[in-house]
Amino acid sequence: MAKVFCIEVCGYAVMSNHTHIVLYVDDKKAERLSDKAIVIRWHKLFKGNWLTQKYINGDELSESERSMLAADITEFRLRLASISWFMRVLNESIARRANEEDGCTGRFWEGRFKSQALLDTAALAACMAYVDLNPIRAKVADTPESSDYASIKKRIERARQGKQPKSLRRFAGNPRTNMPSGLPFDLTYYIQLVELTGRCMRAGKRGCISDTEPLLARLQIEPDNWLKLTTRFTKIFHGAVGRKQAITDYCEHLHKKRRANLAQSERLLC
C-alpha cells in the first residue's frame, strides 16, 4: 500500500486486537506525479471507471470526457495523499480476510481509527519509540529484535546488513544543510534508544537513562519524562503533539483557537 499511496510508513506494531502505525504523508510527491501515474496507482487498488480505463488504454477522449477525467484525477490525487483513504483500504482488507477466515460477515473493527499529528522531532521520536515498544510492554516479546510484528525488528535485521528496509521511511541522520528526505535521526542512536528505554521499563527503574544517547540529549527531554512519553503516549496526548511553538503554528494554520495538549507538551517535551 505504501508503494501505491504517497504515504510512507515510519513505524508500526501489530498487536493481537489492534495496530499502531506512524505515517509520513508526502503530499508534494502526489502533486508531482503525472496524471497517468495517478491513474495507474489508483487502478492498483480499485478498478476505476470506464473513463479511466479508456484513458489508460490510450483511446481517444472527447472534450467532455477529458473534463470529467480531469475531475476524477484531481480526486484520486487527493486520496493517494490521504491518511483516511490509506486506513480505509488497510482496515477493509484486514476485515475481509478476518471474516473469510472466521466464515462470517459484518462489522470487524470496533470503530474508526484515531490519529494524532506529530508536529516536531521530539514528538516523532517519542511516538515511534512508543509504537516500537508495544510488544515489550504487552509482554509478547522480550527484546526489540524478537518483536515479530513491529518495525523495529525489521530495522534491526536490515541494520545488521548495513542497510535500511525499503518498505519503511529511511533514517536520514541528524538535521544538516541539504538534508535528504527521511527521519531526522541517526538509525544507530534510535535503535540504542529503543533498547535502553525497553530495559528501563522492564526493570522498573524510572529515569535510569542518565548518560543519555545523543538523540535523547539532542531532543532535550528529561529521562523521567521520556519514559512517560514512551509508555503512555496515547493516554497523555489527544490530538496534535509537539512543543509550544509547533502547536501554536499548527493551530494558526488550521484556524483553531484552542491549543490542545499545550500544558502536557510544555511539561514533558521541554
Side-chain angles (χ1 to χ4, degrees):
M1 282 180 54
K3 291 179 180 179
V4 176
F5 280 85
C6 296
I7 293 176
E8 292 185 64
V9 178
C10 302
Y12 65 85
V14 181
M15 308 302 288
S16 62
N17 63 352
H18 67 282
T19 62
H20 294 273
I21 186 166
V22 183
L23 300 172
Y24 171 77
V25 180
D26 194 349
D27 48 0
K28 292 182 179 179
K29 181 179 180 180
E31 293 172 4
R32 291 195 306 267
L33 289 174
S34 67
D35 289 352
K36 188 172 184 178
I38 290 291
V39 175
I40 290 174
R41 284 175 177 244
W42 189 253
H43 281 179
K44 290 182 179 180
L45 298 171
F46 302 98
K47 292 181 180 179
N49 55 40
W50 64 273
L51 194 53
T52 59
Q53 293 291 347
K54 191 175 179 180
Y55 171 65
I56 289 299
N57 291 333
D59 298 337
E60 188 175 348
L61 302 177
S62 67
E63 187 174 338
S64 61
E65 287 175 336
R66 284 197 297 270
S67 178
M68 288 189 292
L69 177 66
D72 286 340
I73 291 175
T74 298
E75 183 62 27
F76 296 159
R77 196 182 297 275
L78 291 173
R79 291 177 181 179
L80 289 176
S82 166
I83 290 178
S84 291
W85 272 89
F86 184 95
M87 294 304 298
R88 173 180 174 174
V89 176
L90 175 63
N91 287 344
E92 183 179 338
S93 62
I94 293 173
R96 287 182 181 276
R97 180 172 176 177
N99 285 345
E100 183 179 351
E101 290 175 353
D102 294 338
C104 65
T105 58
R107 190 184 184 92
F108 176 77
W109 297 100
E110 183 177 342
R112 271 182 61 81
F113 70 94
K114 298 177 181 178
S115 67
Q116 296 173 268
L118 306 175
L119 303 179
D120 55 28
T121 308
L124 175 61
C127 187
M128 284 187 62
Y130 167 82
V131 169
D132 276 328
L133 287 168
N134 253 263
I136 291 175
R137 283 199 306 278
K139 297 182 180 180
V140 297
D142 294 324
T143 61
E145 63 270 23
S146 65
S147 301
D148 287 333
Y149 307 108
S151 54
I152 187 65
K153 178 179 180 179
K154 183 173 288 188
R155 290 197 184 279
I156 291 173
E157 288 175 345
R158 297 299 286 168
R160 285 170 174 163
Q161 302 169 19
K163 300 178 181 179
Q164 295 198 49
K166 294 181 180 180
S167 58
L168 297 173
R169 182 163 172 79
R170 63 180 291 105
F171 280 79
N174 294 334
R176 58 193 182 278
T177 306
N178 299 321
M179 178 78 172
S181 179
L183 295 165
F185 321 129
D186 182 279
L187 173 59
T188 303
Y189 291 150
Y190 176 75
I191 291 175
Q192 292 173 348
L193 186 63
V194 170
E195 167 66 19
L196 285 171
T197 306
R199 253 191 276 132
C200 291
M201 290 190 303
R202 289 202 306 276
K205 298 177 181 177
R206 295 175 58 80
C208 74
I209 311 176
S210 52
D211 10 289
T212 55
E213 293 297 328
L215 174 61
L216 190 57
R218 182 165 60 80
L219 296 179
Q220 298 178 333
I221 301 177
E222 289 297 318
D224 229 25
N225 289 344
W226 175 255
L227 287 178
K228 290 178 184 177
L229 288 167
T230 52
T231 56
R232 302 178 58 206
F233 193 92
T234 55
K235 293 181 179 179
I236 294 172
F237 297 112
H238 302 280
V241 186
R243 289 196 167 102
K244 181 177 180 179
Q245 189 57 52
I247 291 178
T248 300
D249 294 343
Y250 175 79
C251 290
E252 287 179 355
H253 177 69
L254 296 181
H255 305 293
K256 290 185 175 183
K257 294 183 178 180
R258 185 171 177 273
R259 294 179 294 176
N261 293 324
L262 190 59
Q264 292 283 38
S265 296
E266 286 188 308
R267 183 169 63 88
L268 296 174
L269 292 174
C270 295

